Amino acid sequence: MNHTRGVNMRIFGQRPLVSFIVSVFNLERYIGACLDSIMIQPFDDYEIVLVNNNSTDGSDAICREYAAHNKQIRYHALTGEPIFGRAVIYGTQKARGQYIHYVDGDDMLAPGAYGEIVHILRSDAPDVLFGRFSTVLEESIINFTDKSFQTERINGRAKDQVLEYLTEAQPFNVATWRLIFSRKLREHFRTPVKRLKEPVNIFHDVYVSVRTLLSARSVHYVDTLVYSYRVRSSSISRITAAGNISECCRLLLSLAWLIRCRAKTEQERGFVRAYMEHFQYQLVAALCTMSDEQITESAAAIDKYLKQKDLKGTPSEDCGCSVINTLISEGAAAGLARLRDRCFSKVEQIARRALAKGGDIYFAPTGQIGLFLKTSFKASGISISGFFDNDVQKNGMLVDGIPVHLPAAVTKIAGDKRVTILIGSGYQNVREELRTQFISLGIDESDLLIVEF
């Protein structure tokens, strides 16, 4: 256990500058490193709200030991069913800090990350601050990808200008651990824990972060590494096609509500639509892999969500989401089946074009969508020879048994052979950027097939 202390102790009785909300469920292998990464940050004006969601391993003993040796750790051991999302909601309600930062119990803060951040929070007091993140891969599995953003397009700019830029610069990962936000914006986390009867949507962090950014008046970006996200085989970011369908629908319903009831400007609506379009694409890509029986099973849960949101009878143009419009007008089972048939028909059309060209077939980029589409194209007789992805961490990996290459390797891989590259992403700008990149690398535009639904 590391007891290294920082500087700048706060005056007794004042709110701490930052509340770190650390949620734990069966993380005995990781929680110590997580807490150490917070405690060695170069400031002391913080509290750690440590919430154990009724773990069954040794997490409780580790958490109690840390809390016993550090008065800035407030430990809460929850009892009862460990419903997903409960610990985060509970911790947020207990937070006393001027700012809130979520840290998953198996993740870590980057060393020294808060050196610059503390100064900015105290001097500029932005409603939201974010920086860069990295991933820690434990297996050859798909990870999130981050990139640098232009500080001059964010810092000191009006909120609508920031949202417009982030919309143009997609993908912008909005996991809740990405944002350090003012406590006045925590209204979006006030669901009473006792009323939480079922797990929150696994994509709930997308909704919460998007809504938080809509509510913010100012946003600040630090182009430094702040957070290390651990990707494990049991991570909730890994989800089956059937689970993806229902969870995407739940998120799309929430995003449709944001557009109808919370987004006030065109920039705000455009920002929400970027995530809506991505998750619509992810949903239909997953649909292409599902059987009639799986669709029927998913439809029952989706119909329940539709009733909860009370969107029946809502004019379709108000929902802002073609998938939700279809499910409202036709019912979940019929709507999902029609969406699947329509999208799989497009997959088959693209497959016929690719097979007619001959040669090896590649897919860009990787990711959950890439895996879903790989399965769909396999059903249409296409065997993917490899993936292309600009994430250097993925270079050389085997994803589902298929090698991943940087796009720059395409010339060497192709040689004198003909290659066809299928490009599929939930972000239109990413599809266009990849198309332009491959053309600049010498691939004929006719050998690039864009997968659009």
Side-chain angles (χ1 to χ4, degrees), residues 311-347:
L311 290 175
K312 296 284 187 181
T314 300
S316 61
E317 62 270 15
D318 288 347
C319 293
C321 175
S322 61
V323 167
I324 297 303
N325 293 343
T326 299
L327 299 182
I328 290 174
S329 62
E330 300 186 20
L336 289 175
R338 190 167 77 83
L339 286 169
R340 180 201 56 189
D341 294 344
R342 185 178 68 193
C343 296
F344 192 69
S345 176
K346 291 186 178 181
V347 167

mmCIF file of all heavy atoms in Angstrom, residues 311-347:
data_model
loop_
_atom_site.group_PDB
_atom_site.id
_atom_site.type_symbol
_atom_site.label_atom_id
_atom_site.label_comp_id
_atom_site.label_asym_id
_atom_site.label_seq_id
_atom_site.Cartn_x
_atom_site.Cartn_y
_atom_site.Cartn_z
ATOM 1 N N LEU A 311 -43.297 6.695 -25.732
ATOM 2 C CA LEU A 311 -43.144 7.328 -27.033
ATOM 3 C C LEU A 311 -44.226 6.914 -28.019
ATOM 4 O O LEU A 311 -44.271 7.404 -29.135
ATOM 5 C CB LEU A 311 -41.767 6.998 -27.626
ATOM 6 C CG LEU A 311 -40.576 7.662 -26.928
ATOM 7 C CD1 LEU A 311 -39.277 7.153 -27.523
ATOM 8 C CD2 LEU A 311 -40.658 9.161 -27.035
ATOM 9 N N LYS A 312 -45.083 5.972 -27.623
ATOM 10 C CA LYS A 312 -46.174 5.587 -28.507
ATOM 11 C C LYS A 312 -47.036 6.804 -28.810
ATOM 12 O O LYS A 312 -47.403 7.573 -27.927
ATOM 13 C CB LYS A 312 -47.045 4.514 -27.837
ATOM 14 C CG LYS A 312 -46.308 3.195 -27.561
ATOM 15 C CD LYS A 312 -46.133 2.391 -28.809
ATOM 16 C CE LYS A 312 -45.565 1.006 -28.507
ATOM 17 N NZ LYS A 312 -45.367 0.202 -29.717
ATOM 18 N N GLY A 313 -47.340 6.983 -30.062
ATOM 19 C CA GLY A 313 -48.178 8.106 -30.454
ATOM 20 C C GLY A 313 -47.411 9.391 -30.675
ATOM 21 O O GLY A 313 -47.972 10.397 -31.078
ATOM 22 N N THR A 314 -46.087 9.375 -30.389
ATOM 23 C CA THR A 314 -45.272 10.559 -30.634
ATOM 24 C C THR A 314 -45.033 10.711 -32.129
ATOM 25 O O THR A 314 -44.693 9.734 -32.789
ATOM 26 C CB THR A 314 -43.917 10.440 -29.908
ATOM 27 O OG1 THR A 314 -44.160 10.305 -28.511
ATOM 28 C CG2 THR A 314 -43.062 11.679 -30.150
ATOM 29 N N PRO A 315 -45.205 11.884 -32.698
ATOM 30 C CA PRO A 315 -44.903 12.062 -34.120
ATOM 31 C C PRO A 315 -43.495 11.598 -34.426
ATOM 32 O O PRO A 315 -42.554 11.945 -33.719
ATOM 33 C CB PRO A 315 -45.053 13.586 -34.311
ATOM 34 C CG PRO A 315 -45.951 14.031 -33.206
ATOM 35 C CD PRO A 315 -45.674 13.130 -32.057
ATOM 36 N N SER A 316 -43.338 10.807 -35.484
ATOM 37 C CA SER A 316 -42.045 10.196 -35.770
ATOM 38 C C SER A 316 -40.945 11.222 -35.966
ATOM 39 O O SER A 316 -39.802 10.984 -35.621
ATOM 40 C CB SER A 316 -42.143 9.305 -37.015
ATOM 41 O OG SER A 316 -42.518 10.069 -38.148
ATOM 42 N N GLU A 317 -41.295 12.381 -36.513
ATOM 43 C CA GLU A 317 -40.242 13.353 -36.768
ATOM 44 C C GLU A 317 -39.665 13.911 -35.471
ATOM 45 O O GLU A 317 -38.575 14.462 -35.461
ATOM 46 C CB GLU A 317 -40.773 14.508 -37.632
ATOM 47 C CG GLU A 317 -41.899 15.326 -37.013
ATOM 48 C CD GLU A 317 -43.278 14.758 -37.353
ATOM 49 O OE1 GLU A 317 -43.344 13.602 -37.817
ATOM 50 O OE2 GLU A 317 -44.265 15.489 -37.168
ATOM 51 N N ASP A 318 -40.396 13.763 -34.336
ATOM 52 C CA ASP A 318 -39.907 14.270 -33.066
ATOM 53 C C ASP A 318 -38.843 13.365 -32.460
ATOM 54 O O ASP A 318 -38.087 13.793 -31.599
ATOM 55 C CB ASP A 318 -41.059 14.419 -32.063
ATOM 56 C CG ASP A 318 -41.963 15.579 -32.414
ATOM 57 O OD1 ASP A 318 -41.577 16.395 -33.270
ATOM 58 O OD2 ASP A 318 -43.051 15.660 -31.835
ATOM 59 N N CYS A 319 -38.800 12.102 -32.852
ATOM 60 C CA CYS A 319 -37.872 11.160 -32.243
ATOM 61 C C CYS A 319 -36.461 11.333 -32.785
ATOM 62 O O CYS A 319 -35.495 11.062 -32.086
ATOM 63 C CB CYS A 319 -38.347 9.715 -32.463
ATOM 64 S SG CYS A 319 -39.867 9.336 -31.571
ATOM 65 N N GLY A 320 -36.338 11.763 -34.011
ATOM 66 C CA GLY A 320 -35.022 12.001 -34.576
ATOM 67 C C GLY A 320 -34.193 10.766 -34.790
ATOM 68 O O GLY A 320 -32.978 10.855 -34.906
ATOM 69 N N CYS A 321 -34.816 9.593 -34.810
ATOM 70 C CA CYS A 321 -34.070 8.343 -34.910
ATOM 71 C C CYS A 321 -34.865 7.360 -35.758
ATOM 72 O O CYS A 321 -35.960 6.935 -35.369
ATOM 73 C CB CYS A 321 -33.826 7.769 -33.513
ATOM 74 S SG CYS A 321 -33.029 6.158 -33.500
ATOM 75 N N SER A 322 -34.339 6.994 -36.929
ATOM 76 C CA SER A 322 -35.094 6.133 -37.840
ATOM 77 C C SER A 322 -35.359 4.753 -37.249
ATOM 78 O O SER A 322 -36.422 4.170 -37.477
ATOM 79 C CB SER A 322 -34.329 5.998 -39.169
ATOM 80 O OG SER A 322 -33.058 5.411 -38.960
ATOM 81 N N VAL A 323 -34.414 4.218 -36.475
ATOM 82 C CA VAL A 323 -34.625 2.905 -35.851
ATOM 83 C C VAL A 323 -35.779 2.963 -34.870
ATOM 84 O O VAL A 323 -36.675 2.108 -34.879
ATOM 85 C CB VAL A 323 -33.341 2.423 -35.154
ATOM 86 C CG1 VAL A 323 -33.635 1.238 -34.233
ATOM 87 C CG2 VAL A 323 -32.292 2.023 -36.185
ATOM 88 N N ILE A 324 -35.776 3.960 -34.003
ATOM 89 C CA ILE A 324 -36.860 4.083 -33.019
ATOM 90 C C ILE A 324 -38.187 4.333 -33.720
ATOM 91 O O ILE A 324 -39.231 3.784 -33.336
ATOM 92 C CB ILE A 324 -36.549 5.213 -32.017
ATOM 93 C CG1 ILE A 324 -35.286 4.882 -31.223
ATOM 94 C CG2 ILE A 324 -37.732 5.420 -31.076
ATOM 95 C CD1 ILE A 324 -35.335 3.582 -30.463
ATOM 96 N N ASN A 325 -38.180 5.149 -34.764
ATOM 97 C CA ASN A 325 -39.409 5.376 -35.526
ATOM 98 C C ASN A 325 -39.979 4.062 -36.046
ATOM 99 O O ASN A 325 -41.191 3.820 -35.992
ATOM 100 C CB ASN A 325 -39.138 6.319 -36.703
ATOM 101 C CG ASN A 325 -38.792 7.722 -36.248
ATOM 102 O OD1 ASN A 325 -39.049 8.098 -35.110
ATOM 103 N ND2 ASN A 325 -38.190 8.492 -37.133
ATOM 104 N N THR A 326 -39.099 3.199 -36.579
ATOM 105 C CA THR A 326 -39.543 1.901 -37.103
ATOM 106 C C THR A 326 -40.114 1.027 -35.995
ATOM 107 O O THR A 326 -41.158 0.381 -36.166
ATOM 108 C CB THR A 326 -38.367 1.178 -37.791
ATOM 109 O OG1 THR A 326 -37.903 1.976 -38.878
ATOM 110 C CG2 THR A 326 -38.789 -0.186 -38.309
ATOM 111 N N LEU A 327 -39.468 0.992 -34.853
ATOM 112 C CA LEU A 327 -39.933 0.153 -33.751
ATOM 113 C C LEU A 327 -41.253 0.654 -33.178
ATOM 114 O O LEU A 327 -42.107 -0.138 -32.769
ATOM 115 C CB LEU A 327 -38.872 0.102 -32.651
ATOM 116 C CG LEU A 327 -37.512 -0.475 -33.050
ATOM 117 C CD1 LEU A 327 -36.565 -0.502 -31.858
ATOM 118 C CD2 LEU A 327 -37.662 -1.875 -33.626
ATOM 119 N N ILE A 328 -41.427 1.986 -33.154
ATOM 120 C CA ILE A 328 -42.690 2.542 -32.662
ATOM 121 C C ILE A 328 -43.834 2.222 -33.616
ATOM 122 O O ILE A 328 -44.922 1.807 -33.208
ATOM 123 C CB ILE A 328 -42.568 4.070 -32.463
ATOM 124 C CG1 ILE A 328 -41.645 4.370 -31.283
ATOM 125 C CG2 ILE A 328 -43.941 4.692 -32.230
ATOM 126 C CD1 ILE A 328 -41.355 5.848 -31.115
ATOM 127 N N SER A 329 -43.570 2.393 -34.903
ATOM 128 C CA SER A 329 -44.652 2.232 -35.883
ATOM 129 C C SER A 329 -44.997 0.767 -36.151
ATOM 130 O O SER A 329 -46.152 0.449 -36.435
ATOM 131 C CB SER A 329 -44.270 2.934 -37.197
ATOM 132 O OG SER A 329 -43.110 2.335 -37.759
ATOM 133 N N GLU A 330 -44.003 -0.130 -36.055
ATOM 134 C CA GLU A 330 -44.252 -1.526 -36.428
ATOM 135 C C GLU A 330 -44.212 -2.502 -35.262
ATOM 136 O O GLU A 330 -44.570 -3.674 -35.425
ATOM 137 C CB GLU A 330 -43.221 -1.960 -37.478
ATOM 138 C CG GLU A 330 -43.253 -1.131 -38.750
ATOM 139 C CD GLU A 330 -42.318 -1.669 -39.820
ATOM 140 O OE1 GLU A 330 -41.947 -2.858 -39.734
ATOM 141 O OE2 GLU A 330 -41.966 -0.900 -40.735
ATOM 142 N N GLY A 331 -43.796 -2.035 -34.093
ATOM 143 C CA GLY A 331 -43.590 -2.950 -32.977
ATOM 144 C C GLY A 331 -42.181 -3.503 -33.028
ATOM 145 O O GLY A 331 -41.568 -3.588 -34.108
ATOM 146 N N ALA A 332 -41.648 -3.900 -31.880
ATOM 147 C CA ALA A 332 -40.243 -4.281 -31.806
ATOM 148 C C ALA A 332 -39.920 -5.502 -32.656
ATOM 149 O O ALA A 332 -38.951 -5.503 -33.419
ATOM 150 C CB ALA A 332 -39.839 -4.515 -30.353
ATOM 151 N N ALA A 333 -40.727 -6.563 -32.549
ATOM 152 C CA ALA A 333 -40.403 -7.805 -33.264
ATOM 153 C C ALA A 333 -40.422 -7.606 -34.778
ATOM 154 O O ALA A 333 -39.462 -7.938 -35.476
ATOM 155 C CB ALA A 333 -41.384 -8.902 -32.858
ATOM 156 N N ALA A 334 -41.524 -7.022 -35.288
ATOM 157 C CA ALA A 334 -41.626 -6.805 -36.733
ATOM 158 C C ALA A 334 -40.615 -5.766 -37.202
ATOM 159 O O ALA A 334 -40.016 -5.909 -38.276
ATOM 160 C CB ALA A 334 -43.048 -6.360 -37.094
ATOM 161 N N GLY A 335 -40.411 -4.726 -36.403
ATOM 162 C CA GLY A 335 -39.485 -3.682 -36.787
ATOM 163 C C GLY A 335 -38.052 -4.178 -36.856
ATOM 164 O O GLY A 335 -37.317 -3.874 -37.804
ATOM 165 N N LEU A 336 -37.636 -4.967 -35.847
ATOM 166 C CA LEU A 336 -36.276 -5.503 -35.850
ATOM 167 C C LEU A 336 -36.069 -6.451 -37.023
ATOM 168 O O LEU A 336 -35.017 -6.437 -37.672
ATOM 169 C CB LEU A 336 -35.985 -6.231 -34.537
ATOM 170 C CG LEU A 336 -35.817 -5.359 -33.287
ATOM 171 C CD1 LEU A 336 -35.651 -6.249 -32.059
ATOM 172 C CD2 LEU A 336 -34.615 -4.429 -33.420
ATOM 173 N N ALA A 337 -37.072 -7.293 -37.297
ATOM 174 C CA ALA A 337 -36.948 -8.247 -38.403
ATOM 175 C C ALA A 337 -36.819 -7.514 -39.735
ATOM 176 O O ALA A 337 -36.005 -7.894 -40.589
ATOM 177 C CB ALA A 337 -38.153 -9.180 -38.423
ATOM 178 N N ARG A 338 -37.610 -6.442 -39.908
ATOM 179 C CA ARG A 338 -37.538 -5.702 -41.170
ATOM 180 C C ARG A 338 -36.199 -4.982 -41.309
ATOM 181 O O ARG A 338 -35.591 -4.961 -42.383
ATOM 182 C CB ARG A 338 -38.676 -4.687 -41.268
ATOM 183 C CG ARG A 338 -38.797 -4.060 -42.668
ATOM 184 C CD ARG A 338 -40.097 -3.310 -42.824
ATOM 185 N NE ARG A 338 -40.051 -2.029 -42.167
ATOM 186 C CZ ARG A 338 -39.535 -0.916 -42.695
ATOM 187 N NH1 ARG A 338 -38.999 -0.955 -43.908
ATOM 188 N NH2 ARG A 338 -39.555 0.220 -42.037
ATOM 189 N N LEU A 339 -35.716 -4.390 -40.202
ATOM 190 C CA LEU A 339 -34.414 -3.720 -40.234
ATOM 191 C C LEU A 339 -33.301 -4.709 -40.560
ATOM 192 O O LEU A 339 -32.411 -4.421 -41.361
ATOM 193 C CB LEU A 339 -34.138 -3.056 -38.883
ATOM 194 C CG LEU A 339 -34.920 -1.776 -38.567
ATOM 195 C CD1 LEU A 339 -34.737 -1.395 -37.106
ATOM 196 C CD2 LEU A 339 -34.459 -0.627 -39.467
ATOM 197 N N ARG A 340 -33.370 -5.900 -39.957
ATOM 198 C CA ARG A 340 -32.344 -6.900 -40.225
ATOM 199 C C ARG A 340 -32.359 -7.326 -41.689
ATOM 200 O O ARG A 340 -31.309 -7.389 -42.338
ATOM 201 C CB ARG A 340 -32.549 -8.134 -39.346
ATOM 202 C CG ARG A 340 -31.496 -9.221 -39.577
ATOM 203 C CD ARG A 340 -31.962 -10.565 -39.121
ATOM 204 N NE ARG A 340 -33.219 -10.950 -39.743
ATOM 205 C CZ ARG A 340 -33.919 -12.013 -39.382
ATOM 206 N NH1 ARG A 340 -33.501 -12.787 -38.398
ATOM 207 N NH2 ARG A 340 -35.054 -12.304 -39.986
ATOM 208 N N ASP A 341 -33.538 -7.609 -42.217
ATOM 209 C CA ASP A 341 -33.626 -8.067 -43.608
ATOM 210 C C ASP A 341 -33.137 -7.002 -44.577
ATOM 211 O O ASP A 341 -32.436 -7.303 -45.549
ATOM 212 C CB ASP A 341 -35.071 -8.468 -43.933
ATOM 213 C CG ASP A 341 -35.515 -9.694 -43.138
ATOM 214 O OD1 ASP A 341 -34.645 -10.390 -42.588
ATOM 215 O OD2 ASP A 341 -36.739 -9.931 -43.074
ATOM 216 N N ARG A 342 -33.497 -5.755 -44.300
ATOM 217 C CA ARG A 342 -33.079 -4.657 -45.178
ATOM 218 C C ARG A 342 -31.566 -4.472 -45.140
ATOM 219 O O ARG A 342 -30.915 -4.301 -46.178
ATOM 220 C CB ARG A 342 -33.777 -3.363 -44.746
ATOM 221 C CG ARG A 342 -33.500 -2.180 -45.678
ATOM 222 C CD ARG A 342 -34.270 -0.962 -45.205
ATOM 223 N NE ARG A 342 -33.750 -0.458 -43.934
ATOM 224 C CZ ARG A 342 -34.377 0.430 -43.173
ATOM 225 N NH1 ARG A 342 -35.580 0.872 -43.534
ATOM 226 N NH2 ARG A 342 -33.846 0.853 -42.058
ATOM 227 N N CYS A 343 -30.994 -4.534 -43.933
ATOM 228 C CA CYS A 343 -29.551 -4.319 -43.794
ATOM 229 C C CYS A 343 -28.756 -5.516 -44.303
ATOM 230 O O CYS A 343 -27.698 -5.346 -44.925
ATOM 231 C CB CYS A 343 -29.203 -4.028 -42.333
ATOM 232 S SG CYS A 343 -29.937 -2.494 -41.727
ATOM 233 N N PHE A 344 -29.256 -6.718 -44.061
ATOM 234 C CA PHE A 344 -28.530 -7.892 -44.545
ATOM 235 C C PHE A 344 -28.565 -7.936 -46.071
ATOM 236 O O PHE A 344 -27.623 -8.428 -46.710
ATOM 237 C CB PHE A 344 -29.111 -9.174 -43.962
ATOM 238 C CG PHE A 344 -28.234 -10.377 -44.198
ATOM 239 C CD1 PHE A 344 -27.014 -10.492 -43.555
ATOM 240 C CD2 PHE A 344 -28.608 -11.370 -45.079
ATOM 241 C CE1 PHE A 344 -26.185 -11.580 -43.780
ATOM 242 C CE2 PHE A 344 -27.790 -12.461 -45.308
ATOM 243 C CZ PHE A 344 -26.576 -12.569 -44.656
ATOM 244 N N SER A 345 -29.638 -7.409 -46.657
ATOM 245 C CA SER A 345 -29.697 -7.326 -48.114
ATOM 246 C C SER A 345 -28.566 -6.443 -48.644
ATOM 247 O O SER A 345 -27.940 -6.756 -49.666
ATOM 248 C CB SER A 345 -31.054 -6.770 -48.559
ATOM 249 O OG SER A 345 -31.097 -6.596 -49.952
ATOM 250 N N LYS A 346 -28.272 -5.338 -47.931
ATOM 251 C CA LYS A 346 -27.166 -4.477 -48.340
ATOM 252 C C LYS A 346 -25.831 -5.195 -48.178
ATOM 253 O O LYS A 346 -24.935 -5.051 -49.009
ATOM 254 C CB LYS A 346 -27.181 -3.188 -47.522
ATOM 255 C CG LYS A 346 -28.364 -2.282 -47.837
ATOM 256 C CD LYS A 346 -28.249 -0.953 -47.113
ATOM 257 C CE LYS A 346 -29.415 -0.035 -47.468
ATOM 258 N NZ LYS A 346 -29.314 1.279 -46.787
ATOM 259 N N VAL A 347 -25.693 -5.962 -47.097
ATOM 260 C CA VAL A 347 -24.471 -6.733 -46.889
ATOM 261 C C VAL A 347 -24.267 -7.705 -48.041
ATOM 262 O O VAL A 347 -23.155 -7.853 -48.577
ATOM 263 C CB VAL A 347 -24.524 -7.484 -45.547
ATOM 264 C CG1 VAL A 347 -23.417 -8.540 -45.462
ATOM 265 C CG2 VAL A 347 -24.409 -6.507 -44.383
#
